[in-house]
Each structure stands twice: as C-alpha cells, then as structure tokens.
Amino acid sequence: PATIRSGIYQNAFHLIGKDITTVAIDDLAAAIEFGESREKIKQIVVNAFASIPKDSFDVVILACTHYPLVSDVFAEVLGDVPIFDPAMAVAERVESQLWPRESGYGQTRFVISKDSEPFRRLVAQLFPNKKYSIEVVE
C-alpha cells in the first residue's frame, strides 16, 4: 500500500504514456515478514485479486521488496500472467552506474521499522555466509 500511495510506479508509467492498475495488498508484506504459512499468504493474494479478471493484466509487477520472496504464490494464483520483479532492473542499474569503480567492498545493511525474529531468521537463511547488519529505526 505504501508503494502505491507514493505514486512512484504510476508516475513512471505515465511518463512513457502507459496507464496502470494498482492493487494494494494490505497484509501481504507483514505476513511474509512475520513468517505466516504459505496457505495464509496464498489466501491474501487470492483475496487481493478476487474481483479483478485475470485476463485484464498484461503483466504483474511485484512492486514491494517482500513480494519476490513469494513470487511462486503469485504465479500459482495468477496462472499464465507474466510476473516482473523490478529488483533485478534496479540491481542492474546500480551495477551499470557503479561497476567497476565500486566493487567488492560494499556492506549489506538492512534498515527495518520493526524488529522481527522471523525477519532475522530469513536474512540468516538468505545470507548464510555473508556479514550483514540489521538496524531498527522507529
């Protein structure tokens, strides 16, 4: 919901002459972050798209940093609708801007608004051999 309220995607697509439909999924990021079951996460996605015909989408953009972690759930719920994760485009853009000037000495730092043991477990699982820090800002 915060990403949709920011208008970042709507504005970006408007600049290239495209209109988009946005779908705010109120509880999904929290469900992912706090380690809810796959079935609960799937039900949240099903409910979010229940009133929208699947054939009305050309592509679904996962516009939240949490959503790629459950992209398989989106694929299961939405069927053949292509799913785009903008995180890869952002990473490629950063690499093109910084490489080779800035390589190998970066830090992995997570800044979160609420501490969560499930989040900490997920980070440890995703980065088992990487040094990182987690900072909670309130």
Side-chain angles (χ1 to χ4, degrees):
T3 302
I4 290 173
R5 281 192 306 273
S6 77
I8 190 168
Y9 282 94
Q10 299 91 314
N11 293 337
F13 278 93
H14 181 74
L15 288 173
I16 61 170
K18 302 284 184 186
D19 290 321
I20 63 171
T21 300
T22 59
V23 178
I25 308 178
D26 292 330
D27 300 323
L28 186 55
I32 295 166
E33 189 168 318
F34 290 102
E36 293 290 349
S37 71
R38 177 180 169 78
E39 283 309 309
K40 177 161 178 125
I41 290 170
K42 181 178 176 183
Q43 193 57 55
I44 292 169
V45 175
V46 165
N47 292 346
F49 289 93
S51 64
I52 306 167
K54 289 179 189 170
D55 63 354
S56 66
F57 295 110
D58 296 322
V59 66
V60 170
I61 300 170
L62 301 179
C64 173
T65 57
H66 293 68
Y67 294 178
L69 297 171
V70 294
S71 61
D72 60 321
V73 173
F74 280 90
E76 185 179 332
V77 171
L78 299 173
D80 294 333
V81 177
I83 296 173
F84 178 72
D85 175 5
M88 292 307 296
V90 170
E92 289 168 3
R93 176 72 176 191
V94 168
E95 181 182 43
S96 73
Q97 295 295 310
L98 300 178
W99 183 263
R101 297 185 314 269
E102 306 286 336
S103 74
Y105 301 108
Q107 298 175 358
T108 302
R109 181 173 162 230
F110 298 92
V111 179
I112 58 177
S113 58
K114 183 176 181 182
D115 207 356
S116 154
E117 188 55 36
F119 176 78
R120 288 179 179 274
R121 282 195 307 269
L122 180 61
V123 170
Q125 177 185 349
L126 292 173
F127 299 94
N129 300 314
K130 179 118 174 120
K131 189 174 180 181
Y132 58 85
S133 65
I134 298 175
E135 178 184 344
V136 180
V137 294
E138 296 182 29

